[in-house]
Each structure stands twice: as C-alpha cells, then as structure tokens.
Amino acid sequence: MMGRTHLIVSSGMTLSILSLTGQGITLPSAAVAIISSLLPDIDEPNSLLLQKTMPKGLLSKLKLLLVAFGVGFLAYSYYRSFYTPYSYGLGVMMIAVCIVHQRLFRQLLMASIGGLLLYIGFALSPWWLTIGALLMVCAVLPHRGLTHSMYGVLIWGGLLYVASGRLGHSFWASGVISYSLHLLCDVLTKQGIQPLPPLKWKWRVPLMSTGKFSGFLVESICISLTFFLMWTAFVSPAGAEALSLLEGFRERVNAVWARI
Ligand SMILES: [Zn+2]
C-alpha cells in the first residue's frame, strides 16, 4: 500500500475513532497519529517517512562532510599528535563509512542519532529517550520484520505510554490505533504480515498489489471509507443522519425479506 494511503487511512480513521469515543483530540495526539501511520515502513528504504526525513541528496552531502571531517581530523591528529595512533583509526573509520552502501549508511546514521538522543534523553526528557530508542531499534531491522508484527505494536505502544506523562491516554492510544491500522491495511496486500515472528504464521487477505489496478481499487475504497468515517465523526449531524438513513433502509429490507 502506498505511503500516502497509509497516511490518510490510518491517521484519518484514528482521529475519527478518538472523536467518536469522546477522547479529546490534541495537537500531540494528532501528530502521533500521523507519525504512527507511516512508522511501520521506516525499515523500507523507499518509504515516505525516510524519503522526507533522510532524502538521498542529504545523505550524499553528509557523506562528503564526513570525508572532509575525517581528512581534517587525520591531519590534526598528525600535527598535534592527538591521541595517536587511536585517532588515526577513528579518522579512517569516518572516511570508510562513506564508501558503504546507502542503506547501511542510513542505518549507521540512524543508530548514531538514536544513541545521541538516548544520551540527551536520560538527562532531559522522556521524549528524546523514546525517539532515540526507536531510531536505534529501527536502524537494525529487516524490512517487514519486527515493525510489521505484534511486537512492533507493543514496543511502540510501550514507548508512547512511558513518554505520555501528562499528555493523557489519548496520546498513546492514538499511536497504537494508527500503527495497528497500518498493519491491518498491509494484511490486504499479497505479502501480508507476520504477526509473531519467527513463527511463519501469516495474516494475509491478498486483495491487492501495490502499484497495480487492484491496489488502486482497494486503496480508493479504504480512502473513501476513511472520509465517510471522518464525516460521521466531525460533521456529526449530517453523518448521524446518513447512518440512521442507512439503518432505516436496512430495517425496511429486512422487513420485506421477512415477508417473503
Ligand atoms: Zn507497511
């Protein structure tokens, strides 16, 4: 399923469910719904979230910067005898990191930023701790592995719960619902999901393939359902009226059916 479909369906349905169940929608809970709708695909190099946060151009520039820094560091270590020979090793590593494959480089970058945030998080706030831990976990994941399993839901839910503090239940609930809806949508694809790896058991209702006509059709239906739900949740009177009309129609059909 396309990234933008996940974004619309998971966040739209989550916010509607929050509204319909009487939970207040706050800015943090809306933000976490949006992030959670895309988060499971963070282990996919072409995912919307990674393309936006770590585009290829930026990665290439970072590589160049790291090479320049590595060369500078080597020269500095040589002239100032700065912790030599260990500093040489560090300088060479900085340069060597740049010749690795783009995907590995991104994983290394995510792990380093994650480590840094963990360090800051311990001193400052649980927010940074959550993001740091998450980045480190995601850096080492295979695609459609842990993020597309029940463990992913539990880990993400747990992290949000710990970080939620005064933000209330709607915050972590929003993240868990949106994340789970993403997985539910992926169940509709040919690959399906493996809820409890390493068990080979799969949840799969292969209605569509991403990029094919079946994908377009199923994604369009999911988006339409989302808009209907949002309409019911946020344009309440009209939505309620439509629901009661549908209910009335169903009752009439049942009555006719009973007479036959
Ligand atoms: Zn996915």
Side-chain angles (χ1 to χ4, degrees):
M1 201 168 266
M2 309 264 243
R4 61 167 184 270
T5 311
H6 277 306
L7 180 69
I8 297 169
V9 173
S10 293
S11 338
M13 285 203 174
T14 302
L15 295 180
S16 308
I17 292 168
L18 284 181
S19 167
L20 287 170
T21 51
Q23 311 277 333
I25 295 173
T26 56
L27 198 62
S29 61
V32 87
I34 291 171
I35 294 170
S36 307
S37 70
L38 298 172
L39 193 64
D41 285 342
I42 198 166
D43 56 359
E44 191 186 347
N46 297 323
S47 72
L48 197 61
L49 200 62
L50 280 187
Q51 273 176 12
K52 291 280 178 246
T53 52
M54 292 187 189
K56 278 188 183 144
L58 180 72
L59 287 183
S60 307
K61 276 182 204 144
L62 274 177
K63 276 186 176 181
L64 272 178
L65 207 70
L66 205 59
V67 170
F69 191 75
V71 172
F73 185 72
L74 278 179
Y76 178 81
S77 308
Y78 177 73
Y79 285 115
R80 293 288 173 97
S81 300
F82 182 73
Y83 290 106
T84 51
Y86 308 109
S87 51
Y88 291 152
L90 192 65
V92 170
M93 260 170 65
M94 281 185 213
I95 297 168
V97 158
C98 303
I99 53 170
V100 301
H101 196 260
Q102 195 85 312
R103 185 178 161 89
L104 182 62
F105 180 71
R106 185 153 44 197
Q107 285 172 326
L108 286 170
L109 191 68
M110 277 165 75
S112 330
I113 299 173
L116 191 73
L117 289 178
L118 268 185
Y119 178 73
I120 300 171
F122 275 116
L124 286 178
S125 80
W127 270 100
W128 297 109
L129 204 68
T130 310
I131 300 169
L134 189 79
L135 272 175
M136 292 202 80
V137 171
C138 290
V140 292
L141 293 175
H143 179 48
R144 282 217 173 177
L146 199 67
T147 54
H148 285 75
S149 71
M150 287 298 110
Y151 313 130
V153 180
L154 285 177
I155 293 171
W156 181 230
L159 283 171
L160 289 178
Y161 187 77
V162 172
S164 58
R166 269 175 289 155
L167 294 169
H169 291 311
S170 71
F171 177 72
W172 65 267
S174 168
V176 170
I177 297 171
S178 182
Y179 196 103
S180 309
L181 281 168
H182 176 120
L183 300 194
L184 211 63
C185 285
D186 278 349
V187 168
L188 303 178
T189 61
K190 272 199 174 141
Q191 297 108 302
I193 63 160
Q194 233 175 306
L196 298 167
L199 290 181
K200 293 266 180 266
W201 183 40
K202 271 198 166 185
W203 286 353
R204 203 162 70 98
V205 186
L207 291 181
M208 57 162 283
S209 296
T210 308
K212 300 254 172 73
F213 179 70
S214 61
F216 168 73
L217 201 68
V218 173
E219 287 182 30
S220 304
I221 293 172
C222 289
I223 291 173
S224 309
L225 280 173
T226 306
F227 283 141
F228 176 71
L229 195 65
M230 287 176 80
W231 177 49
T232 310
F234 300 109
V235 197
S236 174
E241 213 170 280
L243 273 183
S244 68
L245 264 177
L246 270 177
E247 192 62 31
F249 179 71
R250 204 166 60 99
E251 271 169 21
R252 233 175 285 164
V253 170
N254 279 347
V256 172
W257 190 245
R259 251 182 266 159
I260 298 168

